[in-house]
Amino acid sequence: LGILAEESNLGENVGTGNWQTDMHPTRDRPVFEEITRELGLNPDEVKVSKKPWYGWGGAMGPSQFIPSTWVMYKERVAKAAGQSPPNPWDARTAIFATALLMMDNGADAQTRAAERKAALKYLAGGNWSKPAYAFYGDDVMRLADKFQKEIDILEGR
C-alpha cells in the first residue's frame, strides 16, 4: 500500500504523459506498443507517467511499472493474478505485480530495513543507494506506517 500510494495515490494519478515523448525510445516504446496491442488498447489513449527530473517516464497503471520491467514480470503476474494477458492498469493485477517486485527486491525478509531497501529498488533499481533517492524510501515507509495503523484499528488493536 505504501508503494501504491507513493506511486499513484492508490491509482488516482496514473499519469499525464505521452508514450512517444516521455518513454525511453528504445527500451520501452516498442514494449509498450506490444503491451497495448495485446490488451486491445490504443497506445495514444492510455495514460502513462510524464518524464520526471531523475529519469524516464512512461510508467503504467497504479503500480507505475515501466514497460520493460512489466514484460519481465508478465508471466508471473498472469499466474498470480489469474489474468492473461495481465493488465498493468487493472488495480488487482497491479497489486500482485507490486508484491512480486517487492518480494524480489528483498521485502519478504520482513524487516523495516529490508522493506525500505526494496522500496528504493522499486524506484531506482541498482541506483537504490544514491542519497538523492532517500526521499522515496522515507515516503513509502511513512505511508506504510500510516496504513498499518489504520489496519490495526480495523482489527481492534
Side-chain angles (χ1 to χ4, degrees):
L1 287 171
I3 292 286
L4 291 167
E6 182 70 13
E7 288 291 331
S8 69
N9 196 23
L10 301 178
E12 185 177 327
N13 177 15
V14 294
T16 59
N18 177 290
W19 72 284
Q20 293 187 27
T21 57
D22 294 302
M23 253 180 218
H24 190 283
T26 57
R27 182 192 68 201
D28 291 312
R29 282 187 212 158
V31 177
F32 182 76
E33 285 185 282
E34 178 185 317
I35 292 166
T36 55
R37 182 175 41 255
E38 187 175 43
L39 293 169
L41 303 172
N42 180 340
D44 296 324
E45 296 176 359
V46 178
K47 293 180 179 183
V48 297
S49 66
K50 284 188 103 37
K51 186 177 178 179
W53 62 268
Y54 52 82
W56 287 96
M60 308 176 300
S63 294
Q64 292 290 281
F65 264 69
I66 293 294
S68 54
T69 303
W70 182 260
V71 296
M72 293 187 320
Y73 279 81
K74 180 179 164 183
E75 296 306 318
R76 288 175 63 201
V77 172
K79 185 176 178 182
Q83 182 186 53
S84 188
N87 184 337
W89 293 277
D90 177 83
R92 181 178 175 277
T93 304
I95 290 167
F96 277 102
T98 299
L100 289 169
L101 182 52
M102 288 294 288
M103 180 182 71
D104 287 354
N105 287 345
D108 58 342
Q110 299 182 358
T111 67
R112 187 169 187 82
E115 290 172 4
R116 184 176 184 279
K117 182 177 177 180
L120 288 164
K121 287 181 173 183
Y122 195 98
L123 172 72
N127 294 316
W128 69 269
S129 62
K130 287 188 175 181
Y133 301 131
F135 75 93
Y136 186 88
D138 296 342
D139 286 353
V140 167
M141 296 310 291
R142 180 184 50 77
L143 288 162
D145 290 342
K146 174 186 164 242
F147 286 121
Q148 188 59 59
K149 285 179 185 174
E150 292 171 357
I151 291 167
D152 290 347
I153 290 168
L154 288 171
E155 292 184 346
R157 291 189 245 163

